[in-house]
Amino acid sequence: MNQAIRTSALSLAALIAVLALAGPAEAKGLVFGVHAQNSLNAVEEQRMGQGNVGAIRQIFRWSQVEPDPDEPYNWGLLDYLMRQAGRNGVDVLPVIVGTPSWASDNPSATAAQGSQAWPTNAVGAERLRLFIAAIVERYGRGGTFWAASPDVPYRPIKEYQVWNEPNRPLFSPGGNPNAALYASLLAQANVSIKSRDPHAKVLMAGMPERTTTSKPLDKYLKQFYEVPGVEKIFDIMTLHPYGVDERGVEGAILRMRSLLKKVHDNKRPLWVTEVGWGSGGEASPFTKSAKDQGKLLTSTAKLLEKKRKKFKLGAVFWFSWRDRLDPGNAGVWQDHTGLFKRDGGPKPAWDAFTKVTGGKPGTGDLQPPLGIPLLQQSHVSVLDDLLASKPQR
């Protein structure tokens, strides 16, 4: 264990003490949102508003906001996102990820890509805490963005998701998923967030149950809950319950609730921050036709709405808003999970989504074309291996 990790472990107990009064959030109704893999243009966000998209799960990539440690934060893309979302009545759930190369533990991280893992070195960890605080100060309740934008309807960020899939090596320091180390990150982030907004809700990073390269979720959470007082450092548990069909999704949620019961945290609210199927790509249990993709969206939404109270479920985010590849470019199933094609054409899944939300699908394609990638290469094909070691039903 290096010095940074030892320091994080030693300080965790003190951080948990600061958070002792934090309580779990109460779900008030099932929100249906979408995950946006790319920056969104005004036409896209207007279409989301028409379709009654409840929330946008959006990457807030540190490496894009602060690529240079000696320059001010560049909020341009995120200001645009928040402005359009506010005008169209859509909430935003930020996913805080992406370490700049200058703050990374990995000396080979490029300036453009940075690192998907959070930093454990002292400088990087401190600057990450400052970045998280800056997000809350700008876009949270009473934030500077709202003060400077009186023409934008006030829709401050109220929930924050800290990192993504830390049970996968890609997102873990040193490529080694370590739940105790993630607990340290989460505790630090919780202090940064709630010292600025005591009413904010902190979300656990969403995780799949298992892939051939990730640590199985049951083992990861067991390690996580072995950290004393860890239940005080977050408000909402999250899950990425990819399954072969809606019953596979249900099975993953049931197993999560069983895990929470075993660790005496069964009252914990749960959000599904990624779920979906592809309408193209290489053959896999998650590759469907465009028609079947829409049918699965409908059946899954109906099942989760029906069992919302049983599952203590507050929100469900479809992965994703728009395809990353054109239909003729096979890729993997994750490249074709969009409600819209890459060129902006709506798929049957978009019509199905708006029927679930009671929104209007609108007409025509999304223009202009796909925006700047925000997730880049971080959501790769390892999820194709979800069935390799455990049935999903």
Side-chain angles (χ1 to χ4, degrees), residues 315-336:
V316 177
F317 289 81
W318 178 266
F319 185 89
S320 59
W321 173 243
R322 203 199 281 218
D323 288 352
R324 290 194 298 189
L325 293 179
D326 295 324
N329 189 331
V332 293
W333 66 272
Q334 298 98 317
D335 295 321
H336 302 275

Side-chain angles (χ1 to χ4, degrees), residues 35-53:
H35 174 89
Q37 298 195 75
N38 298 81
S39 62
L40 299 169
N41 59 58
V43 172
E44 288 177 296
E45 295 206 51
Q46 183 180 43
R47 196 70 163 267
M48 287 182 174
Q50 293 173 342
N52 276 354
V53 171

Side-chain angles (χ1 to χ4, degrees), residues 272-353:
V272 169
T273 50
E274 284 186 21
V275 69
W277 292 268
S279 62
E282 299 172 356
S284 81
F286 312 104
T287 305
K288 314 291 181 179
S289 68
K291 183 178 180 180
D292 286 343
Q293 182 192 41
K295 288 182 176 180
L296 280 166
L297 188 156
T298 299
S299 59
T300 301
K302 287 182 177 179
L303 185 153
L304 297 182
E305 180 64 52
K306 180 180 179 181
K307 300 191 175 183
R308 177 181 66 84
K309 291 184 179 179
K310 176 182 178 181
F311 294 155
K312 299 177 178 63
L313 193 60
V316 177
F317 289 81
W318 178 266
F319 185 89
S320 59
W321 173 243
R322 203 199 281 218
D323 288 352
R324 290 194 298 189
L325 293 179
D326 295 324
N329 189 331
V332 293
W333 66 272
Q334 298 98 317
D335 295 321
H336 302 275
T337 56
L339 302 174
F340 289 81
K341 300 174 186 176
R342 179 181 170 85
D343 65 7
K347 297 198 287 186
W350 172 239
D351 187 62
F353 187 95

Side-chain angles (χ1 to χ4, degrees), residues 65-189:
V65 177
E66 194 180 18
D68 188 327
D70 299 319
E71 295 293 330
Y73 294 128
N74 181 357
W75 298 111
L77 279 176
L78 296 180
D79 280 358
Y80 184 84
L81 164 76
M82 297 300 296
R83 186 173 294 111
Q84 296 302 325
R87 288 172 177 168
N88 289 287
V90 184
D91 290 326
V92 174
L93 170 65
V95 188
I96 302 165
V97 295
T99 303
S101 57
W102 57 264
S104 174
D105 296 344
N106 179 8
S108 64
T110 65
Q113 290 277 8
S115 171
Q116 304 297 349
W118 68 89
T120 61
N121 68 83
V123 171
E126 175 60 21
R127 293 294 288 266
L128 175 57
R129 288 193 288 272
L130 293 174
F131 173 64
I132 293 171
I135 293 173
V136 184
E137 290 169 353
R138 189 171 186 85
Y139 302 119
R141 292 179 177 91
T144 56
F145 171 81
W146 306 109
S149 309
D151 60 321
V152 180
Y154 183 62
R155 299 186 76 90
I157 292 174
K158 299 176 182 178
E159 297 92 13
Y160 302 81
Q161 190 167 37
V162 181
W163 230 256
N164 187 57
E165 300 186 345
N167 64 329
R168 287 176 51 195
L170 177 66
F171 292 101
S172 306
N176 178 33
N178 183 310
L181 195 57
Y182 175 70
S184 181
L185 167 69
L186 194 59
Q188 299 281 358

Side-chain angles (χ1 to χ4, degrees), residues 252-291:
I253 294 173
L254 286 169
R255 289 187 288 275
M256 169 61 85
R257 296 254 50 117
S258 178
L259 282 169
L260 291 173
K261 185 176 182 179
K262 288 179 181 177
V263 297
H264 309 290
D265 197 19
N266 195 39
K267 293 183 179 180
R268 181 74 59 178
L270 175 66
W271 285 19
V272 169
T273 50
E274 284 186 21
V275 69
W277 292 268
S279 62
E282 299 172 356
S284 81
F286 312 104
T287 305
K288 314 291 181 179
S289 68
K291 183 178 180 180

